[in-house]
Amino acid sequence: MRHPPLTPTLAFAMLVLVGQSVLAADDCDAPADSWQPRSAVHALAQRNGWQVERLKIDDGCYEIKGRDAEGRRIKAKLDPATLQVVEMKREQGGRQREREREGKGAPVSPKSPASGPATGS
């Protein structure tokens, strides 16, 4: 059985759809009414020893840019409803970076490697 050849338009549409699903893996999709307040994000950062330099919303996630307890630059994406770490980037001396990804079900706790060191609490 022969299949008809793909037209350029159909091939492009398929690539766009596949690309969107891959890019959506970093996105958060929590409904707005379930979001934790920004004060809860700041409290989580403080518990983990993070100094927040910027807190914004990116791809439906909270995104923290700042420094960890050792003074290294960090960038953390948090699920806005659960405040679980979705993605974490840490500077490892100079320009080298370490990138960590957490599944959406991974808990954020002081003992979690993606949440950074715990201070206090």
Side-chain angles (χ1 to χ4, degrees):
M1 172 187 245
R2 289 188 59 175
H3 297 285
L6 288 177
T7 65
T9 304
L10 181 58
F12 178 75
M14 289 173 58
L15 286 173
V16 168
L17 291 174
V18 169
Q20 286 178 344
S21 66
V22 169
L23 292 174
D26 286 347
D27 296 352
C28 298
D29 56 3
D33 62 346
S34 68
W35 282 36
Q36 299 282 332
R38 286 178 178 259
S39 60
V41 178
H42 282 283
L44 173 74
Q46 185 176 16
R47 284 193 308 271
N48 287 304
W50 301 341
Q51 177 185 353
V52 177
E53 295 171 359
R54 182 169 184 187
L55 173 59
K56 68 177 190 172
I57 296 169
D58 184 42
D59 296 328
C61 303
Y62 278 125
E63 182 180 279
I64 295 174
K65 288 185 180 181
R67 297 197 177 265
D68 66 10
E70 288 82 33
R72 296 177 298 188
R73 291 181 190 265
I74 62 166
K75 181 177 173 184
K77 273 189 157 182
L78 307 175
D79 181 289
T82 64
L83 300 185
Q84 294 174 333
V85 175
V86 175
E87 181 177 359
M88 180 83 170
K89 294 180 185 178
R90 290 180 208 256
E91 182 179 62
Q92 294 290 324
R95 295 180 181 258
Q96 184 182 15
R97 292 189 177 167
E98 171 186 338
R99 185 175 179 159
E100 304 168 15
R101 278 187 189 267
E102 292 293 320
K104 288 193 176 189
V108 172
S109 70
K111 295 179 184 170
S112 171
S115 65
T119 58
S121 183

